[in-house]
Amino acid sequence: MKAVIPAAGLGTRLLPMTKVQPKEMMPVLNKPAIQYVVEEASHGGFDQILIITNRNKKIMEDHFDRNFELEMVLKKKGADKALKELEAIEGLADLFYLRQKEQKGLGDAVLIGEHFTSAESFAVLLGDDIIISDIPAIKQLWEAHLKVRAPVIGLEIVPEDHVERYGIVDPGEEIEPGLFKLNSVVEKPKKEDAPSQMAIIGRYILDPDIFTWLRESKSGVGGELQLTDSLARYINTKGLYGMIMKGHRVDIGSTSDWLKANLEVALLDPDIRPKVSEYFDELRSQGRI
Ligand code: G1P
């Protein structure tokens, strides 16, 4: 099964951290963000993964490649655990890379995947949304897709004040708990125009129709080719479904989000959690928070 991971954005909201380091390579606890996403795709059964990069993101490719020098050093030291971790990264999936030449938006990035995905349904996972869950989020969507035989997108309820940051859906009929046949989708609406607080998070199961629509589409919000505008075309044809994801989403869209993402993932780690709580207790007792 094939997945596309758009990871070509400039990460301007994270400057200066992202001046030379790709946003997707920012560490979240002990791994770069993109590794969580590739692991999710791989554990979800997607063994062919196309990452859309740009000319300044070569280190993403290096991260998933072998590093013989490092392996040799670890072998000599008998650092088996670290060695296993490296091998696990290399064995995640068959990874392919294509570059987006210009920053023309998420829709344009997905369009680059057209020849890779050929005539099949495929997954799209955004490289800066991390979803921690027992069942990989993209697998949850794929299973829903097999039921409804139509495109399915991942949803999460967000605070009213945040709707302007996301694609927002009008959920329509709930055909089973958490699974909706959508009435409409709109990219980054104003709070007063948002049809709900159900936001599109970066997980999609799409089919090749999307490419036709993306090619026909004009630029939308922010002057960019928006994926959401083309998703809307499914609604009056084969239907578009949305599913509230089971799991815990963290994103690294801004510096404070990135910091929170690190803390949240740290709190999910049984070894690190007590150290983090201890640290916060200490800060509190010193009146620093
Ligand atoms: C993109 C999508 C948006 C979605 C969001 C999720 O926006 O266009 O519909 O809600 O990802 O993270 P971006 O964050 O790239 O502006």
Side-chain angles (χ1 to χ4, degrees):
M1 294 206 294
K2 292 183 178 173
V4 177
I5 302 183
L10 291 179
T12 49
R13 279 175 292 175
L14 289 171
L15 283 168
M17 291 195 283
T18 47
K19 188 176 169 208
V20 291
Q21 161 154 279
K23 167 167 76 165
E24 295 78 9
M25 287 300 291
M26 296 283 298
V28 175
L29 194 60
N30 58 350
K31 292 189 263 190
I34 186 107
Q35 190 180 326
Y36 291 87
V37 181
V38 171
E39 284 173 352
E40 178 192 326
S42 164
H43 299 157
F46 295 84
D47 53 354
Q48 307 243 306
I49 301 175
L50 171 68
I51 303 185
I52 310 294
T53 68
N54 70 31
R55 70 185 76 84
N56 297 317
K57 298 200 176 193
K58 293 193 194 83
I59 65 162
M60 255 175 358
E61 295 180 39
D62 294 342
H63 181 73
F64 292 104
D65 199 356
R66 287 191 76 168
N67 183 334
F68 289 106
E69 200 184 345
L70 192 55
E71 282 176 23
M72 255 162 55
V73 172
L74 293 175
K75 255 185 214 150
K76 256 195 202 151
K77 279 187 169 176
D80 294 344
K81 190 168 169 258
L83 205 54
K84 274 216 177 84
E85 275 178 31
L86 286 198
E87 282 165 6
I89 299 173
E90 293 150 15
L92 279 171
D94 284 342
L95 292 177
F96 303 83
Y97 301 90
L98 281 173
R99 288 184 184 181
Q100 186 182 31
K101 309 278 184 306
E102 259 180 81
Q103 291 298 306
K104 291 200 266 180
L106 177 59
D108 179 68
V110 170
L111 194 47
I112 294 171
E114 180 169 16
H115 297 298
F116 170 78
T117 57
S118 52
E120 306 153 33
S121 289
F122 62 97
V124 175
L125 300 90
L126 302 194
D128 54 2
D129 270 324
I130 298 171
I131 305 175
I132 314 280
S133 56
D134 294 339
I135 302 172
I138 201 66
K139 188 163 189 233
Q140 299 175 31
L141 282 194
W142 183 258
E143 279 165 6
H145 161 73
L146 293 180
K147 266 188 220 158
V148 298
R149 297 265 153 213
V152 188
I153 61 179
L155 301 174
E156 183 186 64
I157 296 172
V158 298
E160 208 183 357
D161 283 344
H162 291 184
V163 292
E164 297 184 15
R165 302 181 192 174
Y166 296 94
I168 300 291
V169 307
D170 173 352
E173 186 197 349
E174 187 168 15
I175 59 166
E176 63 176 64
L179 182 62
F180 299 84
K181 185 157 198 281
L182 304 178
N183 280 340
S184 67
V185 290
V186 51
E187 182 66 10
K188 302 193 173 74
K190 293 232 152 54
K191 193 162 120 181
E192 51 281 14
D193 301 330
S196 76
Q197 284 169 240
M198 270 189 210
I200 304 175
I201 54 174
R203 298 295 182 270
Y204 310 78
I205 302 293
L206 304 176
D207 68 18
D209 282 353
I210 197 74
F211 299 119
T212 311
W213 295 330
L214 282 169
R215 265 197 308 274
E216 288 171 8
S217 177
K218 297 205 177 71
S219 48
V221 174
E224 296 191 337
L225 195 61
Q226 295 292 351
L227 179 61
T228 305
D229 296 343
S230 291
L231 289 179
R233 307 239 343 232
Y234 280 121
I235 289 172
N236 294 322
T237 52
K238 53 187 63 158
L240 177 66
Y241 293 78
M243 189 186 183
I244 304 267
M245 303 274 61
K246 291 185 193 79
H248 188 77
R249 183 179 79 102
V250 297
D251 81 70
I252 56 163
S254 68
T255 307
S256 58
D257 285 341
W258 168 74
L259 192 58
K260 277 193 222 157
N262 275 278
L263 282 172
E264 297 215 16
V265 175
L267 289 172
L268 295 171
D269 183 313
D271 294 330
I272 299 180
R273 185 188 172 88
K275 294 177 191 145
V276 176
S277 329
E278 207 177 286
Y279 175 58
F280 274 94
D281 288 346
E282 195 182 307
L283 289 179
R284 225 172 272 120
S285 72
Q286 293 169 355
R288 292 162 68 197
I289 52 167

